[in-house]
C-alpha cells in the first residue's frame, strides 16, 4: 500500500523498505482543454545536488538529452511529448546503492517546454503527480498528487530523494517557479540556454 503524501511532508523510503536499492520515479500529468493552438510538451528533469544544494557539474543534470547521471545510478527513460494516455508520462530509474557519496539530494522537476513563448503554464495542467515504485516488484511505495494550486508557473519542483543518516527519504515539495527550466537550473547552479 503506497504512502500518499501532502505538500511539505517527508517520509522514509529505505528504512521502512529494507533491502530496497532500485526505484523507479514516475511522473504524470494531463493537459486541460485549451485553445492556444500549440501542443504542450512537459518534461521531467532531475538535478543531482551536493551538500550546498547545487550540482557539481553539468552531468548532474539528467533529462531526455542527458539520460544518465551519478555514474549511471540515475537514468531518465525518455521524453514523452504529449502526456497522452494513462500511467506515468516519464520515468527515472534510480539505483540508490550506487549514487555517488557526494550526491546528497536527487531533485525531481517538471517543466513546460517553451512555456513562456507559447503562453502556457501549470494552471492549464491537471492531475500532476510523482510516485516511487520498487523496480524489482513494481509496487508503488510513495505517491504525491500535486493538486491544482498553480497558475502562472512554468516549472515545478515536485519532490526529492535525500540522504539522512545513511538512509534515503522522500520529500514532497510542490514548489512552482516562473521562468521555466532556465530559472530552475540557475537556482541549482547551472547556466542553460
Amino acid at each position: 500500500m503506497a504512502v500518499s503524501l501532502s505538500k511539505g511532508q517527508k517520509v522514509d523510503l529505505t528504512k521502512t523498505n529494507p533491502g530496497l536499492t532500485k526505484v523507479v520515479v514516475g511522473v504524470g500529468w494531463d493537459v486541460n482543454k485549451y485553445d492556444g493552438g500549440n501542443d504542450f510538451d512537459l518534461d521531467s528533469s532531475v538535478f543531482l545536488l551536493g551538500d550546498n544544494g547545487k550540482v557539481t557539474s553539468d552531468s548532474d543534470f539528467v533529462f531526455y538529452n542527458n539520460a544518465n547521471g551519478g555514474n549511471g545510478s540515475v537514468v531518465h527513460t525518455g521524453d514523452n511529448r504529449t502526456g497522452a494516455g494513462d500511467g506515468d508520462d516519464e520515468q527515472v530509474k534510480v539505483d540508490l546503492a550506487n549514487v555517488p557519496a557526494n550526491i546528497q539530494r536527487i531533485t525531481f522537476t517538471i517543466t513546460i517546454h517553451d512555456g513562456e513563448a507559447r503562453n502556457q503554464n501549470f494552471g492549464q495542467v491537471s492531475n500532476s503527480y510523482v510516485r516511487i515504485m520498487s523496480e524489482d516488484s513494481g509496487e508503488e511505495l510513495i505517491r504525491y498528487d500535486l493538486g491544482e494550486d498553480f497558475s502562472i508557473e512554468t516549472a515545478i519542483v515536485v519532490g526529492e530523494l535525500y540522504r539522512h543518516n545513511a538512509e534515503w527519504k522522500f520529500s514532497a515539495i510542490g514548489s512552482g517557479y516562473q521562468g521555466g527550466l532556465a530559472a530552475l537550473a540557475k537556482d541549482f547552479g547551472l547556466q542553460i540556454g
Side-chain angles (χ1 to χ4, degrees):
M1 183 72 189
V3 175
S4 185
L5 299 181
S6 300
K7 181 174 180 167
Q9 285 188 301
K10 296 172 171 50
V11 67
D12 175 74
L13 179 62
T14 54
K15 189 185 279 184
T16 53
N17 297 285
L20 180 71
T21 59
K22 294 187 177 185
V23 296
V24 177
V25 179
V27 294
W29 55 79
D30 292 319
V31 175
N32 299 340
K33 294 278 184 240
Y34 91 117
D35 54 10
N38 291 303
D39 288 339
F40 261 76
D41 181 10
L42 276 68
D43 297 314
S44 62
S45 305
V46 184
F47 294 89
L48 309 180
L49 307 176
D51 279 331
N52 63 354
K54 307 284 186 198
V55 296
T56 57
S57 73
D58 289 354
S59 63
D60 290 341
F61 172 46
V62 178
F63 65 113
Y64 62 87
N65 271 342
N66 179 41
N68 290 296
N71 295 334
S73 64
V74 178
V75 178
H76 192 294
T77 63
D79 188 17
N80 176 332
R81 292 184 160 293
T82 66
D86 293 332
D88 300 338
D89 292 308
E90 294 187 8
Q91 291 185 330
V92 177
K93 295 182 176 183
V94 182
D95 183 351
L96 297 170
N98 289 310
V99 173
N102 66 315
I103 304 298
Q104 295 299 308
R105 294 174 19 211
I106 303 171
T107 302
F108 299 90
T109 69
I110 304 173
T111 56
I112 301 173
H113 182 70
D114 286 340
E116 284 86 4
R118 295 178 180 177
N119 204 22
Q120 297 171 341
N121 59 58
F122 275 99
Q124 298 157 316
V125 175
S126 59
N127 302 324
S128 301
Y129 70 86
V130 59
R131 67 186 187 132
I132 300 177
M133 298 156 289
S134 163
E135 185 176 326
D136 294 332
S137 71
E139 178 189 359
E140 184 176 295
L141 305 170
I142 297 171
R143 183 180 185 96
Y144 169 40
D145 292 297
L146 274 71
E148 311 300 317
D149 52 352
F150 299 102
S151 55
I152 58 175
E153 295 85 355
T154 52
I156 299 175
V157 175
V158 293
E160 69 182 10
L161 290 166
Y162 66 98
R163 293 183 201 262
H164 181 74
N165 295 335
E167 300 284 352
W168 286 94
K169 292 187 166 206
F170 181 77
S171 175
I173 296 175
S175 293
Y177 279 72
Q178 290 178 261
L181 184 59
L184 271 185
K186 185 176 181 193
D187 272 10
F188 292 130
L190 275 179
Q191 293 295 327
I192 62 170

